[in-house]
């Protein structure tokens, strides 16, 4: 039995990139101050294969000082989305903030963003879930509008990765290649989306799935309630993000292709009908492999929209 849902539309967008862009030479000068378990040849290869020509960092590369936080970047992107939508702080009744690693364990980063934006009262949620966090945040906000619990929602997504590249968080002498390679891929920034109840309905749909029982996680940080030895964990390097590249490629390619196939089938959407395909990737090497795999599902290479090499 079906049920009626509210129409939903996008009212405004915003984005924020910290500091000036660094080219490949500046990135190498910044990251090579500390060892990370990789040879210089391996580092050069990662820079080359990623295809990234400009990166932004919330850490000042000149003296390692923090110049941004998740809350500051998310707030700036959120402010720009609010301006594009013509909203004031009183107009927002739902705020969702997503991060990879929150600014602090308590209070939620969402409340810190709420305070910065001057929103007097709203529902707020924080979602910390690495690459899937923005999709989960948008899905949560959209569903709350569609079922009538919210009228206007602001979704802010922030990635602050560079704090983990350097001391005092990082222990360079304890960093393995499976941890160090991420320093040469990740960078920082934020984006925001203002969505509201109203016409025309954009028919926003989601297909979100988690698969892989029996497969070890592709990305791990062993620090938290199950690993409470903060001093011992730091001494052994457990605070570093671990992602074995070969494991991620082997299983990630298969899971991504299967997931896209299931989504297209669920939406009854032929792949060749897609006009704009925006994948969440951070390497042209990975993008190239996915293009070949997704062509088998009908997704045309000319439909791909990629700007991560500059943004």
């Amino acid at each position: 039995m079906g049920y009626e849902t509210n129409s939903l539309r996008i009212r405004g967008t915003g984005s924020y990139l910290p500091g000036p862009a660094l080219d490949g030479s500046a990135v190498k000068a910044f990251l090579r101050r500390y060892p990370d378990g990789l040879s210089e040849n391996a580092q050069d290869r990662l820079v080359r294969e990623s295809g990234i020509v400009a990166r932004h960092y919330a850490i000042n590369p000149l003296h390692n000082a923090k110049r941004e936080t998740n809350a500051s970047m998310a707030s700036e992107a959120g402010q720009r989305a609010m301006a594009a939508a013509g909203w004031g702080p009183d107009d927002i009744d739902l705020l969702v903030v997503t991060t990879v690693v929150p600014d602090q364990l308590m209070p939620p980063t969402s409340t810190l963003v709420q305070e910065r934006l001057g929103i007097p009262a709203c529902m707020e949620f924080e979602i910390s879930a690495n690459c899937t966090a923005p999709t989960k945040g948008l899905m949560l906000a959209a569903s709350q509008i569609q079922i009538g619990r919210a009228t206007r929602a602001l979704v802010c997504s922030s990635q602050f990765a560079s704090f983990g590249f350097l001391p005092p968080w990082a222990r360079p002498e304890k960093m393995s290649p499976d941890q160090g390679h991420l320093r040469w891929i990740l960078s920082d920034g934020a984006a925001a989306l203002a969505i509201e109840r109203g016409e025309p309905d954009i028919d926003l749909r989601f297909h979100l799935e988690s698969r892989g029982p029996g497969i070890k996680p592709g990305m791990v940080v062993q620090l938290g309630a199950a690993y409470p030895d903060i001093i011992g964990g730091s001494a052994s390097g457990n605070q570093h993000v671990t992602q074995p590249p070969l494991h991620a490629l082997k299983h990630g390619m298969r899971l991504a292709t299967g997931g896209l196939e299931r989504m297209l089938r669920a939406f009854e959407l032929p792949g060749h009908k897609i006009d704009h395909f925006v994948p969440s990737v951070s390497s042209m090497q990975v993008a190239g492999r996915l293009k070949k795999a997704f062509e088998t599902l009908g997704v045309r290479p000319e439909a791909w929209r990629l700007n991560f090499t500059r943004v």
Side-chain angles (χ1 to χ4, degrees):
M1 181 176 179
Y3 57 92
E4 293 294 326
T5 59
N6 292 313
S7 298
L8 179 147
R9 64 185 179 189
I10 296 173
R11 188 63 184 268
T13 64
S15 61
Y16 178 72
L17 294 171
L22 302 185
D23 63 15
S25 297
V27 168
K28 291 177 185 179
F30 170 40
L31 296 181
R32 280 177 175 164
R33 291 182 196 158
Y34 298 97
D36 54 18
L38 297 169
S39 67
E40 287 198 0
N41 285 338
Q43 294 167 351
D44 289 338
R45 178 178 54 80
L46 284 168
V47 172
R48 182 175 63 254
E49 291 181 350
S50 74
I52 300 172
V53 297
R55 301 170 196 250
H56 294 257
Y57 294 112
I59 294 289
N60 190 320
L62 298 178
H63 42 67
N64 296 359
K66 180 177 65 180
R67 55 188 173 193
E68 299 282 358
T69 62
N70 278 308
S72 69
M73 292 191 292
S75 299
E76 185 62 38
Q79 190 66 59
R80 296 177 183 184
M82 290 168 61
W87 293 356
D90 292 326
D91 293 318
I92 297 168
D93 50 20
L94 170 61
L95 173 67
V96 181
V97 176
T98 81
T99 65
V100 178
V101 178
D103 282 347
Q104 54 195 68
L105 294 180
M106 299 178 192
T109 306
S110 49
T111 62
L112 305 179
V113 174
Q114 177 187 353
E115 182 175 5
R116 282 176 171 267
L117 293 177
I119 301 172
C122 67
M123 294 186 288
E124 53 77 25
F125 294 88
E126 176 193 73
I127 298 176
S128 295
N130 58 12
C131 302
T132 64
T135 304
K136 291 174 179 175
L138 181 58
M139 185 177 188
L140 171 62
S143 65
Q144 294 301 295
I145 292 175
Q146 289 166 333
I147 65 175
R149 287 202 176 122
T151 301
R152 294 186 179 92
L154 182 67
V155 183
C156 304
S157 295
S158 177
Q159 174 167 293
F160 183 12
S162 59
F163 82 93
F165 298 172
L166 312 164
W169 180 269
R171 292 290 299 272
E173 71 280 5
K174 296 293 184 178
M175 198 171 278
S176 71
D178 286 348
Q179 297 165 340
H181 81 100
L182 288 168
R183 301 170 78 236
W184 299 87
I185 297 173
L186 302 177
S187 52
D188 306 326
L193 194 65
I195 57 176
E196 66 181 4
R197 187 187 310 173
E199 298 287 351
D201 185 8
I202 61 173
D203 193 25
L204 187 62
R205 294 183 289 168
F206 296 88
H207 180 85
L208 189 64
E209 63 177 34
S210 177
R211 303 178 72 89
I215 302 173
K216 67 180 182 179
M219 188 174 284
V220 175
V221 178
Q222 291 183 326
L223 187 66
Y227 300 90
D229 185 0
I230 296 175
I231 296 176
S234 175
S236 61
N238 286 353
Q239 76 277 31
H240 302 143
V241 181
T242 301
Q243 183 191 59
L246 294 180
H247 173 78
L249 279 174
K250 176 183 176 182
H251 295 288
M253 296 289 296
R254 176 177 57 82
L255 291 171
T257 305
L260 178 62
E261 182 177 15
R262 287 184 288 273
M263 185 186 76
L264 295 177
R265 187 165 59 244
F267 291 165
E268 299 180 344
L269 175 66
H272 69 271
K273 292 286 188 180
I274 296 174
D275 295 319
H276 299 271
F277 187 82
V278 186
S280 178
V281 294
S282 56
S283 167
M284 288 302 293
Q285 180 193 40
V286 174
R289 293 189 182 194
L290 286 177
K291 275 188 178 182
K292 291 181 179 179
F294 290 177
E295 274 192 82
T296 64
L297 302 177
V299 181
R300 296 167 293 118
E302 58 268 27
W304 283 56
R305 304 289 181 262
L306 296 172
N307 69 351
F308 73 88
T309 60
R310 303 180 310 279
V311 177

